[in-house]
Amino acid sequence: MSSTTATAGAVAQARRTSLHRQRAWTLKASYAVLTLMVVFFLVPPFYMVMTSLKSSAEISAQQGNPWIVQHPTLANFAELIANSNFQTFFVNSVIVTVLVVVISMSISVLAAFSLTRMGFWGSQTLATGVFLTYLIPASLLFIPLFQIIGKLGLINSFWCLVLLYPTLAVPFCTWIMIGYFSSIPRELDEAALIDGAGYMQMLLRIFIPVAMPGIIAATIFAFTASWGAFLYPLAYLYTTDQMVLTVGIVSDLIRGDVFQWGKIMAGCVLAAVPPVLIYAFLMDYYIAGLTAGATKG
Amino acid sequence: MAQVSIRKVVKAYEGNVQAVKGIDLEIADEEFVVLVGPSGCGKSTTLRMVAGLEEITSGEIWIGGDVVNDVPPRDRDIAMVFQNYALYPHMSVFDNMAFGLKLRKFPKDEIKRRVDEAARILDIQALLERKPKALSGGQRQRVAMGRAIVRNPKVFLFDEPLSNLDAKLRVQMRTEIKKVHQTIPTTTVYVTHDQVEAMTLADRVVVMNHGVIEQVGPPQELYHNPATRFVAGFIGSPAMNFLPVRVLDDGGLKVELANGVKLAVPPQRVDRYGPYKGRQMTLGLRPEHLTEIRDTEKPNVVRIDCMVDVVEPMGMETLVHFFIDGEPVCARIDPVTHSAPNEVLPLAADLNNMHLIDNESGKVV
């Protein structure tokens, strides 16, 4: 009896050791891959920050290690911030992006709620259709859109971007929100209906607070799509007063074959600040499991 | 006053699949009615139609003297407790309970008074500031009940509210629900698939099967006088034993088991079973009427020897499973009586409590 027990114990021990070894190897491999990815993604921003801290002379000297700053300076930042063109680009970008996020999220949340919860005829097909529109590449649309924008008299006005970007952001944001709203238990709607809520009250007082992680995810997408877009401002805007950051930095700081690398990189660092802040701020709220406790978990 | 009347109500889905097939039910004011039946029998659909969460294909539903077929849920003056609690996860317990009152624009002090009163009844005063995620399953279900109570509605609707709780808590909450109904007598419609819940809670039980009502009655009546084989088999745990028999006249009215054993029909039932002479029927006998031999002198008690297959000691009783001609049979015996698998156990069948079921109609005769 005791020898049987001892053998069983040894087998269990061996299995545990084997599992432990497998887990250790999996963890090592995961860390290695993650480290590679972190390096891969962080090298460009690191190089951008390093270059932004160099003087034009140091950049053009091309001596020493290019990854290290010999004589750090904030001159590029100071000159750029004082530059009225850069200020205009920045303000234009902020206006366009804020409006695009507000418009896109308003449409997406309302569309997703009606598609998932109001159960009207054809809602399933419409939901699929919304996603399919996202699959059309933006680069295919800019010529027909150019004609539309032209007819509306909005060529070389950043208001055209306020009109156009939601057409890119809304389908995907709606898709994200459809997924989130679908995950909210149907009993919550029914409880709200019985409690006396109408559809709008249900949306505002139940769905939006409960689906906040989804709304934040969609907001981040809409923000990124608008803030970082390059093609449409390049095609539709050409004067400095209407320009946004992405195209403005390039067009203003590259004259002929003269590249003001220090200022370009400083501009990129400054342009990256709002997205980084927004990501950092919203991530605190972007927590999974906000529906915990609503139903049997 | 809030009677609920369900009149010839039909619910059909696409493809003419009928979930509820023209049921009629009258529920009196302050009555506690439990709809019970297996999955897919139409009990939840019926409840949801009363709530206004499902449209009615045909028929009428009346609440408190008004037809409510086209009245939205919020205007029906009902409150519902869901199986999954359906608490608003971002709101505190207080806000969850107050939500319906706030939407109806009740004054703040009235809301607070009602929530405090409901919290006192349900013993959740200490939880009012917590969010649902910080509550246990039982506490969440209490909050869900509190949300219903504060509204002081005409009708309470419960949709399998205890199904997600563990066995011990279920028993506890069952008592709580009964206590709440005694404290606040309100017309209540309660859906469950658990016949023990139905028996313990209901003033009247409605047994449903395949979208129709099989029988309506007080729990004891359903237990002792089931109308159909379905009700006989559904109500009671362990379920009633069913054995194929032939009714014959062999020096008195008897039923003959498949193995040739003849059991004399009790004299008080001869008139009732006489017309079925020569017919193949089903004998129904509850496990508690198949026991160890106690009193051989008692009339209409016959001895049946069985070869024990499985013994299940339950503490206060022991369940013995065996077969009679391939049909599984369960007996309830005293725990001190010796029984073991593969041993012969003499049992006493009390035919005073027998049921005879017509195989064609499925009705108990």
Side-chain angles (χ1 to χ4, degrees), chain A residues 22 32 41 46 50 69 80 86 88 92 96 99 104 112 120 130 138 146 159 171 186 189 198 228 238 251 267 280 284:
Chain A
Q22 273 185 28
F41 285 111
F46 175 76
M50 288 299 116
V69 187
L80 207 57
F86 182 81
T88 307
N92 289 351
V96 168
L99 289 173
S104 301
F120 54 88
V130 165
F146 190 92
W159 291 104
R186 202 160 273 279
D189 317 18
Y238 46 83
S251 60
D284 284 346

PDB file of all heavy atoms in Angstrom, chain A residues 22 32 41 46 50 69 80 86 88 92 96 99 104 112 120 130 138 146 159 171 186 189 198 228 238 251 267 280 284:
ATOM      1  N   GLN A  22       7.613  23.453 -18.414  1.00  0.00           N
ATOM      2  CA  GLN A  22       6.923  23.962 -19.619  1.00  0.00           C
ATOM      3  C   GLN A  22       6.532  25.423 -19.439  1.00  0.00           C
ATOM      4  O   GLN A  22       6.722  26.246 -20.339  1.00  0.00           O
ATOM      5  CB  GLN A  22       5.642  23.158 -19.845  1.00  0.00           C
ATOM      6  CG  GLN A  22       5.849  21.911 -20.662  1.00  0.00           C
ATOM      7  CD  GLN A  22       4.521  21.232 -20.952  1.00  0.00           C
ATOM      8  OE1 GLN A  22       3.501  21.885 -21.005  1.00  0.00           O
ATOM      9  NE2 GLN A  22       4.553  19.930 -21.099  1.00  0.00           N
ATOM     10  N   ALA A  32      10.891  37.074 -24.389  1.00  0.00           N
ATOM     11  CA  ALA A  32      11.808  37.356 -25.496  1.00  0.00           C
ATOM     12  C   ALA A  32      11.044  38.040 -26.629  1.00  0.00           C
ATOM     13  O   ALA A  32      11.484  39.074 -27.167  1.00  0.00           O
ATOM     14  CB  ALA A  32      12.449  36.055 -25.982  1.00  0.00           C
ATOM     15  N   PHE A  41       8.960  48.719 -31.591  1.00  0.00           N
ATOM     16  CA  PHE A  41       8.021  49.842 -31.604  1.00  0.00           C
ATOM     17  C   PHE A  41       8.569  51.111 -30.946  1.00  0.00           C
ATOM     18  O   PHE A  41       8.113  52.204 -31.249  1.00  0.00           O
ATOM     19  CB  PHE A  41       6.707  49.441 -30.916  1.00  0.00           C
ATOM     20  CG  PHE A  41       5.855  48.543 -31.776  1.00  0.00           C
ATOM     21  CD1 PHE A  41       5.665  47.224 -31.448  1.00  0.00           C
ATOM     22  CD2 PHE A  41       5.265  49.032 -32.936  1.00  0.00           C
ATOM     23  CE1 PHE A  41       4.894  46.394 -32.252  1.00  0.00           C
ATOM     24  CE2 PHE A  41       4.500  48.201 -33.746  1.00  0.00           C
ATOM     25  CZ  PHE A  41       4.319  46.887 -33.403  1.00  0.00           C
ATOM     26  N   PHE A  46      12.020  56.850 -29.898  1.00  0.00           N
ATOM     27  CA  PHE A  46      13.256  57.169 -29.184  1.00  0.00           C
ATOM     28  C   PHE A  46      14.168  58.026 -30.087  1.00  0.00           C
ATOM     29  O   PHE A  46      14.700  59.058 -29.665  1.00  0.00           O
ATOM     30  CB  PHE A  46      13.966  55.864 -28.779  1.00  0.00           C
ATOM     31  CG  PHE A  46      15.308  56.065 -28.151  1.00  0.00           C
ATOM     32  CD1 PHE A  46      15.416  56.506 -26.829  1.00  0.00           C
ATOM     33  CD2 PHE A  46      16.484  55.826 -28.860  1.00  0.00           C
ATOM     34  CE1 PHE A  46      16.665  56.701 -26.242  1.00  0.00           C
ATOM     35  CE2 PHE A  46      17.725  56.020 -28.284  1.00  0.00           C
ATOM     36  CZ  PHE A  46      17.815  56.455 -26.965  1.00  0.00           C
ATOM     37  N   MET A  50      15.401  61.844 -29.467  1.00  0.00           N
ATOM     38  CA  MET A  50      16.844  62.163 -29.462  1.00  0.00           C
ATOM     39  C   MET A  50      17.152  63.259 -30.479  1.00  0.00           C
ATOM     40  O   MET A  50      17.849  64.239 -30.187  1.00  0.00           O
ATOM     41  CB  MET A  50      17.662  60.898 -29.798  1.00  0.00           C
ATOM     42  CG  MET A  50      17.713  59.859 -28.703  1.00  0.00           C
ATOM     43  SD  MET A  50      18.474  60.502 -27.211  1.00  0.00           S
ATOM     44  CE  MET A  50      17.133  60.433 -26.079  1.00  0.00           C
ATOM     45  N   VAL A  69      22.569  62.060 -27.639  1.00  0.00           N
ATOM     46  CA  VAL A  69      22.662  63.515 -27.823  1.00  0.00           C
ATOM     47  C   VAL A  69      23.931  63.999 -27.118  1.00  0.00           C
ATOM     48  O   VAL A  69      24.114  63.746 -25.928  1.00  0.00           O
ATOM     49  CB  VAL A  69      21.442  64.229 -27.199  1.00  0.00           C
ATOM     50  CG1 VAL A  69      21.452  65.713 -27.549  1.00  0.00           C
ATOM     51  CG2 VAL A  69      20.155  63.580 -27.659  1.00  0.00           C
ATOM     52  N   LEU A  80       9.754  76.290 -32.377  1.00  0.00           N
ATOM     53  CA  LEU A  80       8.512  75.761 -32.951  1.00  0.00           C
ATOM     54  C   LEU A  80       7.281  76.318 -32.237  1.00  0.00           C
ATOM     55  O   LEU A  80       6.301  76.720 -32.874  1.00  0.00           O
ATOM     56  CB  LEU A  80       8.530  74.232 -32.839  1.00  0.00           C
ATOM     57  CG  LEU A  80       7.735  73.470 -33.876  1.00  0.00           C
ATOM     58  CD1 LEU A  80       8.189  73.831 -35.287  1.00  0.00           C
ATOM     59  CD2 LEU A  80       7.895  71.979 -33.660  1.00  0.00           C
ATOM     60  N   PHE A  86       2.907  76.865 -36.622  1.00  0.00           N
ATOM     61  CA  PHE A  86       2.754  75.633 -35.847  1.00  0.00           C
ATOM     62  C   PHE A  86       1.558  75.751 -34.905  1.00  0.00           C
ATOM     63  O   PHE A  86       0.771  74.816 -34.756  1.00  0.00           O
ATOM     64  CB  PHE A  86       4.040  75.341 -35.060  1.00  0.00           C
ATOM     65  CG  PHE A  86       3.965  74.063 -34.289  1.00  0.00           C
ATOM     66  CD1 PHE A  86       4.185  72.839 -34.904  1.00  0.00           C
ATOM     67  CD2 PHE A  86       3.645  74.069 -32.926  1.00  0.00           C
ATOM     68  CE1 PHE A  86       4.098  71.662 -34.182  1.00  0.00           C
ATOM     69  CE2 PHE A  86       3.545  72.896 -32.209  1.00  0.00           C
ATOM     70  CZ  PHE A  86       3.776  71.678 -32.837  1.00  0.00           C
ATOM     71  N   THR A  88      -1.084  77.518 -35.371  1.00  0.00           N
ATOM     72  CA  THR A  88      -2.314  77.379 -36.184  1.00  0.00           C
ATOM     73  C   THR A  88      -2.599  75.916 -36.486  1.00  0.00           C
ATOM     74  O   THR A  88      -3.737  75.455 -36.358  1.00  0.00           O
ATOM     75  CB  THR A  88      -2.146  78.159 -37.519  1.00  0.00           C
ATOM     76  OG1 THR A  88      -1.750  79.480 -37.209  1.00  0.00           O
ATOM     77  CG2 THR A  88      -3.431  78.147 -38.322  1.00  0.00           C
ATOM     78  N   ASN A  92      -5.911  74.006 -35.300  1.00  0.00           N
ATOM     79  CA  ASN A  92      -6.786  73.395 -36.315  1.00  0.00           C
ATOM     80  C   ASN A  92      -6.971  71.899 -36.049  1.00  0.00           C
ATOM     81  O   ASN A  92      -8.077  71.370 -36.157  1.00  0.00           O
ATOM     82  CB  ASN A  92      -6.201  73.592 -37.718  1.00  0.00           C
ATOM     83  CG  ASN A  92      -6.287  75.050 -38.173  1.00  0.00           C
ATOM     84  OD1 ASN A  92      -6.936  75.871 -37.497  1.00  0.00           O
ATOM     85  ND2 ASN A  92      -5.636  75.375 -39.271  1.00  0.00           N
ATOM     86  N   VAL A  96     -10.539  70.140 -35.324  1.00  0.00           N
ATOM     87  CA  VAL A  96     -11.029  69.060 -36.202  1.00  0.00           C
ATOM     88  C   VAL A  96     -11.242  67.787 -35.391  1.00  0.00           C
ATOM     89  O   VAL A  96     -12.295  67.142 -35.467  1.00  0.00           O
ATOM     90  CB  VAL A  96     -10.021  68.811 -37.355  1.00  0.00           C
ATOM     91  CG1 VAL A  96     -10.358  67.518 -38.095  1.00  0.00           C
ATOM     92  CG2 VAL A  96     -10.020  69.987 -38.309  1.00  0.00           C
ATOM     93  N   LEU A  99     -14.196  67.842 -32.803  1.00  0.00           N
ATOM     94  CA  LEU A  99     -15.501  67.777 -33.474  1.00  0.00           C
ATOM     95  C   LEU A  99     -15.732  66.394 -34.082  1.00  0.00           C
ATOM     96  O   LEU A  99     -16.837  65.848 -33.998  1.00  0.00           O
ATOM     97  CB  LEU A  99     -15.594  68.863 -34.552  1.00  0.00           C
ATOM     98  CG  LEU A  99     -15.708  70.290 -34.007  1.00  0.00           C
ATOM     99  CD1 LEU A  99     -15.612  71.309 -35.135  1.00  0.00           C
ATOM    100  CD2 LEU A  99     -17.027  70.460 -33.258  1.00  0.00           C
ATOM    101  N   SER A 104     -18.601  61.576 -34.446  1.00  0.00           N
ATOM    102  CA  SER A 104     -18.500  60.130 -34.707  1.00  0.00           C
ATOM    103  C   SER A 104     -19.111  59.326 -33.568  1.00  0.00           C
ATOM    104  O   SER A 104     -19.857  58.367 -33.796  1.00  0.00           O
ATOM    105  CB  SER A 104     -17.036  59.697 -34.873  1.00  0.00           C
ATOM    106  OG  SER A 104     -16.454  60.399 -35.920  1.00  0.00           O
ATOM    107  N   ALA A 112     -25.438  52.087 -32.986  1.00  0.00           N
ATOM    108  CA  ALA A 112     -25.215  50.763 -32.395  1.00  0.00           C
ATOM    109  C   ALA A 112     -26.366  50.390 -31.464  1.00  0.00           C
ATOM    110  O   ALA A 112     -26.821  49.243 -31.456  1.00  0.00           O
ATOM    111  CB  ALA A 112     -23.891  50.748 -31.634  1.00  0.00           C
ATOM    112  N   PHE A 120     -35.507  46.261 -35.033  1.00  0.00           N
ATOM    113  CA  PHE A 120     -36.387  46.543 -36.178  1.00  0.00           C
ATOM    114  C   PHE A 120     -36.001  45.665 -37.357  1.00  0.00           C
ATOM    115  O   PHE A 120     -34.935  45.062 -37.385  1.00  0.00           O
ATOM    116  CB  PHE A 120     -36.338  48.027 -36.547  1.00  0.00           C
ATOM    117  CG  PHE A 120     -34.956  48.562 -36.797  1.00  0.00           C
ATOM    118  CD1 PHE A 120     -34.376  48.494 -38.040  1.00  0.00           C
ATOM    119  CD2 PHE A 120     -34.233  49.132 -35.742  1.00  0.00           C
ATOM    120  CE1 PHE A 120     -33.102  48.990 -38.256  1.00  0.00           C
ATOM    121  CE2 PHE A 120     -32.953  49.618 -35.952  1.00  0.00           C
ATOM    122  CZ  PHE A 120     -32.386  49.547 -37.208  1.00  0.00           C
ATOM    123  N   VAL A 130     -22.875  48.185 -42.205  1.00  0.00           N
ATOM    124  CA  VAL A 130     -22.077  49.245 -41.581  1.00  0.00           C
ATOM    125  C   VAL A 130     -20.608  48.831 -41.539  1.00  0.00           C
ATOM    126  O   VAL A 130     -19.706  49.602 -41.871  1.00  0.00           O
ATOM    127  CB  VAL A 130     -22.598  49.530 -40.152  1.00  0.00           C
ATOM    128  CG1 VAL A 130     -21.586  50.336 -39.354  1.00  0.00           C
ATOM    129  CG2 VAL A 130     -23.912  50.269 -40.213  1.00  0.00           C
ATOM    130  N   ALA A 138      -9.744  54.138 -47.697  1.00  0.00           N
ATOM    131  CA  ALA A 138      -9.949  55.591 -47.752  1.00  0.00           C
ATOM    132  C   ALA A 138      -9.296  56.185 -48.997  1.00  0.00           C
ATOM    133  O   ALA A 138      -9.790  57.154 -49.579  1.00  0.00           O
ATOM    134  CB  ALA A 138      -9.381  56.228 -46.496  1.00  0.00           C
ATOM    135  N   PHE A 146     -13.362  64.390 -53.281  1.00  0.00           N
ATOM    136  CA  PHE A 146     -12.841  65.701 -53.701  1.00  0.00           C
ATOM    137  C   PHE A 146     -13.922  66.468 -54.475  1.00  0.00           C
ATOM    138  O   PHE A 146     -14.125  67.670 -54.275  1.00  0.00           O
ATOM    139  CB  PHE A 146     -11.591  65.496 -54.586  1.00  0.00           C
ATOM    140  CG  PHE A 146     -10.842  66.768 -54.864  1.00  0.00           C
ATOM    141  CD1 PHE A 146      -9.797  67.160 -54.033  1.00  0.00           C
ATOM    142  CD2 PHE A 146     -11.184  67.596 -55.933  1.00  0.00           C
ATOM    143  CE1 PHE A 146      -9.112  68.338 -54.262  1.00  0.00           C
ATOM    144  CE2 PHE A 146     -10.501  68.768 -56.177  1.00  0.00           C
ATOM    145  CZ  PHE A 146      -9.460  69.137 -55.336  1.00  0.00           C
ATOM    146  N   TRP A 159     -12.939  72.514 -42.328  1.00  0.00           N
ATOM    147  CA  TRP A 159     -14.294  72.000 -42.055  1.00  0.00           C
ATOM    148  C   TRP A 159     -14.611  70.789 -42.921  1.00  0.00           C
ATOM    149  O   TRP A 159     -15.459  69.968 -42.567  1.00  0.00           O
ATOM    150  CB  TRP A 159     -15.328  73.105 -42.266  1.00  0.00           C
ATOM    151  CG  TRP A 159     -15.207  74.158 -41.199  1.00  0.00           C
ATOM    152  CD1 TRP A 159     -14.657  75.399 -41.338  1.00  0.00           C
ATOM    153  CD2 TRP A 159     -15.576  74.031 -39.825  1.00  0.00           C
ATOM    154  NE1 TRP A 159     -14.662  76.059 -40.133  1.00  0.00           N
ATOM    155  CE2 TRP A 159     -15.230  75.255 -39.183  1.00  0.00           C
ATOM    156  CE3 TRP A 159     -16.150  73.032 -39.069  1.00  0.00           C
ATOM    157  CZ2 TRP A 159     -15.432  75.480 -37.836  1.00  0.00           C
ATOM    158  CZ3 TRP A 159     -16.374  73.250 -37.723  1.00  0.00           C
ATOM    159  CH2 TRP A 159     -16.016  74.464 -37.118  1.00  0.00           C
ATOM    160  N   PRO A 171     -18.189  53.890 -39.158  1.00  0.00           N
ATOM    161  CA  PRO A 171     -18.455  52.456 -39.323  1.00  0.00           C
ATOM    162  C   PRO A 171     -17.719  51.589 -38.293  1.00  0.00           C
ATOM    163  O   PRO A 171     -18.309  50.711 -37.675  1.00  0.00           O
ATOM    164  CB  PRO A 171     -17.958  52.159 -40.735  1.00  0.00           C
ATOM    165  CG  PRO A 171     -17.994  53.458 -41.437  1.00  0.00           C
ATOM    166  CD  PRO A 171     -17.695  54.489 -40.402  1.00  0.00           C
ATOM    167  N   ARG A 186     -29.566  41.256 -21.882  1.00  0.00           N
ATOM    168  CA  ARG A 186     -30.857  41.803 -22.311  1.00  0.00           C
ATOM    169  C   ARG A 186     -31.787  42.076 -21.120  1.00  0.00           C
ATOM    170  O   ARG A 186     -32.667  42.929 -21.184  1.00  0.00           O
ATOM    171  CB  ARG A 186     -31.511  40.824 -23.299  1.00  0.00           C
ATOM    172  CG  ARG A 186     -32.528  41.448 -24.199  1.00  0.00           C
ATOM    173  CD  ARG A 186     -32.777  40.623 -25.419  1.00  0.00           C
ATOM    174  NE  ARG A 186     -31.863  40.922 -26.494  1.00  0.00           N
ATOM    175  CZ  ARG A 186     -31.984  41.951 -27.330  1.00  0.00           C
ATOM    176  NH1 ARG A 186     -32.980  42.788 -27.182  1.00  0.00           N
ATOM    177  NH2 ARG A 186     -31.124  42.159 -28.297  1.00  0.00           N
ATOM    178  N   ASP A 189     -32.060  45.758 -20.139  1.00  0.00           N
ATOM    179  CA  ASP A 189     -33.036  46.578 -20.873  1.00  0.00           C
ATOM    180  C   ASP A 189     -34.419  46.337 -20.300  1.00  0.00           C
ATOM    181  O   ASP A 189     -35.195  47.272 -20.099  1.00  0.00           O
ATOM    182  CB  ASP A 189     -33.204  46.201 -22.342  1.00  0.00           C
ATOM    183  CG  ASP A 189     -31.957  45.904 -23.094  1.00  0.00           C
ATOM    184  OD1 ASP A 189     -30.933  45.655 -22.467  1.00  0.00           O
ATOM    185  OD2 ASP A 189     -32.032  45.938 -24.324  1.00  0.00           O
ATOM    186  N   GLY A 198     -37.711  54.968 -20.943  1.00  0.00           N
ATOM    187  CA  GLY A 198     -37.904  54.917 -22.382  1.00  0.00           C
ATOM    188  C   GLY A 198     -36.573  54.530 -23.019  1.00  0.00           C
ATOM    189  O   GLY A 198     -35.570  54.375 -22.312  1.00  0.00           O
ATOM    190  N   GLY A 228      -4.237  61.629 -36.686  1.00  0.00           N
ATOM    191  CA  GLY A 228      -3.068  61.164 -37.457  1.00  0.00           C
ATOM    192  C   GLY A 228      -3.295  61.107 -38.957  1.00  0.00           C
ATOM    193  O   GLY A 228      -2.383  60.717 -39.694  1.00  0.00           O
ATOM    194  N   TYR A 238      -4.400  73.468 -48.630  1.00  0.00           N
ATOM    195  CA  TYR A 238      -3.103  73.917 -49.147  1.00  0.00           C
ATOM    196  C   TYR A 238      -2.619  75.230 -48.558  1.00  0.00           C
ATOM    197  O   TYR A 238      -1.504  75.623 -48.765  1.00  0.00           O
ATOM    198  CB  TYR A 238      -3.104  73.998 -50.696  1.00  0.00           C
ATOM    199  CG  TYR A 238      -4.318  74.672 -51.292  1.00  0.00           C
ATOM    200  CD1 TYR A 238      -4.384  76.055 -51.390  1.00  0.00           C
ATOM    201  CD2 TYR A 238      -5.374  73.920 -51.781  1.00  0.00           C
ATOM    202  CE1 TYR A 238      -5.493  76.664 -51.944  1.00  0.00           C
ATOM    203  CE2 TYR A 238      -6.488  74.516 -52.341  1.00  0.00           C
ATOM    204  CZ  TYR A 238      -6.550  75.898 -52.421  1.00  0.00           C
ATOM    205  OH  TYR A 238      -7.644  76.508 -52.969  1.00  0.00           O
ATOM    206  N   SER A 251       5.004  70.208 -44.594  1.00  0.00           N
ATOM    207  CA  SER A 251       5.032  71.236 -45.641  1.00  0.00           C
ATOM    208  C   SER A 251       5.732  72.509 -45.179  1.00  0.00           C
ATOM    209  O   SER A 251       6.358  73.202 -45.971  1.00  0.00           O
ATOM    210  CB  SER A 251       3.606  71.554 -46.105  1.00  0.00           C
ATOM    211  OG  SER A 251       2.860  72.021 -45.004  1.00  0.00           O
ATOM    212  N   GLY A 267       8.430  68.858 -33.681  1.00  0.00           N
ATOM    213  CA  GLY A 267       7.013  68.974 -34.034  1.00  0.00           C
ATOM    214  C   GLY A 267       6.300  67.645 -33.844  1.00  0.00           C
ATOM    215  O   GLY A 267       5.170  67.590 -33.342  1.00  0.00           O
ATOM    216  N   ALA A 280      -3.150  57.777 -21.876  1.00  0.00           N
ATOM    217  CA  ALA A 280      -2.811  57.563 -20.464  1.00  0.00           C
ATOM    218  C   ALA A 280      -4.016  57.855 -19.573  1.00  0.00           C
ATOM    219  O   ALA A 280      -4.319  57.105 -18.651  1.00  0.00           O
ATOM    220  CB  ALA A 280      -1.639  58.461 -20.072  1.00  0.00           C
ATOM    221  N   ASP A 284      -7.023  54.599 -17.729  1.00  0.00           N
ATOM    222  CA  ASP A 284      -7.419  54.389 -16.333  1.00  0.00           C
ATOM    223  C   ASP A 284      -8.874  53.946 -16.251  1.00  0.00           C
ATOM    224  O   ASP A 284      -9.271  53.216 -15.362  1.00  0.00           O
ATOM    225  CB  ASP A 284      -7.247  55.687 -15.527  1.00  0.00           C
ATOM    226  CG  ASP A 284      -5.787  55.939 -15.207  1.00  0.00           C
ATOM    227  OD1 ASP A 284      -4.991  54.990 -15.378  1.00  0.00           O
ATOM    228  OD2 ASP A 284      -5.448  57.063 -14.804  1.00  0.00           O
TER     229      ASP A 284
END
